[in-house]
Amino acid sequence: MSYDTIGASRRNLMFGVAAAAAGAGLLAALPTAEAKAAPENTTSTARLTSNTVTTKDGTVLYYKDWGTGPAVVFSHGYPLSSDAWENQMMFLAQNGFRVIAHDRRGFGRSSQPGHGYDYDTFADDLATLVDALDLKDAAFIGHSMGGGEVARYIGRHGEKRVAKVALVAAVTPFLARTDTNPNGAPIEVFDSFRAAVQADRSQWNKKVSMPYYNYNRPGAKVSQGVREEYWRQGQTTGIVAAYQAIGAFSETDFRDDLKKITVPVLIVHGSDDQIVPIEISGNISAKILKGGKFLIYEGGAHGLIVTQKDKLNADLLAFLKS
């Protein structure tokens, strides 16, 4: 199916978000766990503390590490931070897992260097953290932009530390339309995002929260708190990262990375994802990862990690225990 024949609601591939750009003037307590001593640093260049790791180029990455048990590593979406995973991390920590999540370079509480906003660097940053913590047999879960990070991590660093993978509303396998990817979205969509970042990023982050959580659908119960939290996280991301990461998540081809995944895979995608429509993402990833389990959340939004958190938590727990 070509992108042009998807239908009105899908044809807008992130056009709910592009409309937001136009609106901007353009087109319970944490589970108690025993304190863990920082493991011996296993890389010669990384410097590890209880909540930061320093990469070889001097970028300081913030991370969280809660609970005990089998390790689960989370990679967050755009333009958010590791805080986006709080519902899943708390739930899994309460159910016997050790949960780790970092703020990508330029995002959240991590350093904001002027370079390195590409998936090879993102994957190497993730490897720096995973190696420094010496994680073994870990599950890797990526949402949206973070799904690409997980895929590229495996593509570059292999599966020696990986037991399972979950891709949640992920940007994989390839979003932008090219000669080899005719079903992708027109580059003009992503150009409008970049323009919105430069014109009025704060207002754009407020507008985008509506289609992100499907709050713009008839009958939707809108949480202003959720919208404000999206805005807060988005504004902690540096403008260089916010601008350059758009090109990274839209123009990076993850098809070869997905083909290198041999461990068990769970794919979760909402049927009404307005940000990363299922037709050009989850459906195609599922065809590449033929042995993976594919769960479609009917009516599900891109931000289903919040809007359908209980269902997702249960599905992730079942997958991790399987």
Side-chain angles (χ1 to χ4, degrees):
M1 177 185 296
S2 74
Y3 181 80
D4 293 320
T5 60
I6 286 173
S9 63
R10 292 293 176 276
R11 195 181 306 131
N12 287 333
L13 163 86
M14 308 184 195
F15 286 127
V17 186
L26 291 156
L27 311 161
L30 296 178
T32 301
E34 295 181 3
K36 296 185 290 295
E40 182 180 353
N41 191 349
T42 58
T43 62
S44 59
T45 56
R47 297 192 301 275
L48 186 72
T49 73
S50 61
N51 63 2
T52 66
V53 65
T54 304
T55 70
K56 63 182 180 181
D57 71 353
T59 299
V60 179
L61 303 177
Y62 171 87
Y63 74 94
K64 304 173 185 180
D65 186 355
W66 305 341
T68 57
V72 183
V73 180
F74 293 88
S75 290
H76 65 81
Y78 177 96
L80 308 176
S81 70
S82 59
D83 290 352
W85 283 115
E86 63 183 15
N87 294 305
Q88 289 69 43
M89 291 181 69
M90 185 171 178
F91 174 79
L92 291 177
Q94 290 172 329
N95 280 276
F97 289 88
R98 177 185 177 187
V99 292
I100 300 106
H102 71 295
D103 291 355
R104 191 173 297 112
R105 67 168 55 212
F107 292 69
R109 288 141 292 200
S110 292
S111 296
Q112 297 184 13
H115 62 278
Y117 300 106
D118 60 89
Y119 271 95
D120 286 354
T121 303
F122 296 152
D124 292 350
D125 286 351
L126 179 57
T128 296
L129 175 61
V130 170
D131 290 350
L133 293 173
D134 196 22
L135 302 180
K136 298 179 174 67
D137 297 322
F140 286 70
I141 303 176
H143 173 247
S144 189
M145 180 180 182
E149 185 171 85
V150 170
R152 182 54 53 91
Y153 169 81
I154 292 173
R156 284 176 68 82
H157 298 277
E159 297 180 324
K160 64 181 180 180
R161 297 185 182 274
V162 183
K164 293 183 177 182
V165 167
L167 302 174
V168 181
V171 298
T172 51
F174 193 6
L175 291 186
R177 179 184 295 171
T178 66
D179 291 343
T180 65
N181 190 45
N183 294 334
I187 195 66
E188 290 80 10
V189 173
F190 307 108
D191 288 342
S192 75
F193 298 171
R194 281 183 280 260
V197 166
Q198 286 194 291
D200 190 344
R201 185 165 67 103
S202 180
Q203 182 62 23
W204 190 56
N205 280 336
K206 287 185 176 182
K207 292 279 187 178
V208 170
S209 64
M210 291 297 286
Y212 196 95
Y213 299 106
N214 283 4
Y215 288 159
N216 59 342
R217 294 308 196 207
K221 183 178 180 181
V222 179
S223 168
Q224 292 301 326
V226 168
R227 294 190 66 199
E228 290 170 9
E229 177 61 11
Y230 178 96
W231 178 88
R232 180 194 70 81
Q233 290 185 46
Q235 289 303 108
T236 64
T237 292
I239 191 168
V240 175
Y243 185 90
Q244 294 192 13
I246 292 169
F249 73 67
S250 62
E251 298 174 41
T252 301
D253 185 347
F254 300 104
R255 289 175 290 192
D256 287 342
D257 300 299
L258 293 183
K259 292 173 184 176
K260 294 179 181 179
I261 299 176
T262 64
V263 297
V265 179
L266 173 66
I267 302 167
V268 179
H269 220 102
S271 68
D272 192 25
D273 188 328
Q274 298 178 70
I275 308 301
V276 181
I278 191 171
E279 291 87 354
I280 66 167
S281 52
N283 286 354
I284 302 175
S285 291
K287 291 178 181 178
I288 296 173
L289 298 165
K290 295 180 181 178
K293 184 177 182 181
F294 187 20
L295 299 180
I296 299 175
Y297 287 13
E298 290 301 324
H302 189 63
L304 54 78
I305 61 175
V306 172
T307 58
Q308 292 181 277
K309 64 181 183 180
D310 293 336
K311 178 175 175 57
L312 179 62
N313 288 350
D315 286 335
L316 288 175
L317 182 61
F319 174 66
L320 293 172
K321 287 188 171 183
S322 64

